[in-house]
Amino acid sequence: MELEATGLLLVAIGGALGGMARLAVGDAVARGLGSAFPWGTLVVNLSGALAMGGLVGALGLPVDMPGLSWQLLAIGLLGGYTTVSSFSLQTLTLWQQRRPLAALANVAVTLVAGLLALLLGWWLAGGAT
């Protein structure tokens, strides 16, 4: 995929905004629910999957070159908002704390609920019509 300068700028702006939103949402959820389990990252990733499903339902999947809206919102904003690296680190931390059930639950809930959230967002945006 080759991006033009405008697309790169949109991805950078979206990524910066998404990263700031991830920090704000993750911290707010962790303050409310505690840090014994990575609730903040889970909420961020599930809400990001829901939003991505909404984008797919509204904009469709880019076939060749993604448009500017897709570059800003999907690649930039949601790419900066959701986080596989934090999810992976927190899962490893749970495992190292000898909490294998919590680690496995984090993986299972993130993957299964993430796919369901994406499908729900797609459906809510009219993707099923």
Side-chain angles (χ1 to χ4, degrees), residues 2-105:
E2 186 176 320
L3 291 175
E4 304 273 332
T6 302
L8 289 172
L9 180 61
L10 290 173
V11 169
I13 291 169
L17 294 173
M20 290 186 296
R22 176 179 70 223
L23 179 63
V25 171
D27 283 353
V29 171
R31 277 193 311 275
L33 296 177
S35 60
F37 188 83
W39 296 112
T41 300
L42 181 63
V43 167
V44 163
N45 286 337
L46 295 183
S47 62
L50 178 69
M52 184 67 81
L55 280 177
V56 170
L59 301 177
L61 286 172
V63 177
D64 292 320
M65 183 64 167
L68 295 178
S69 295
W70 187 264
Q71 291 172 12
L72 172 68
L73 299 172
I75 299 170
L77 185 70
L78 293 177
Y81 178 65
T82 58
T83 173
V84 172
S85 57
S86 292
F87 156 72
S88 301
L89 177 61
Q90 291 163 340
T91 302
L92 175 63
T93 300
L94 290 169
W95 189 267
Q96 289 176 336
Q97 292 172 342
R98 297 186 177 2
R99 299 176 58 204
L101 291 179
L104 293 174

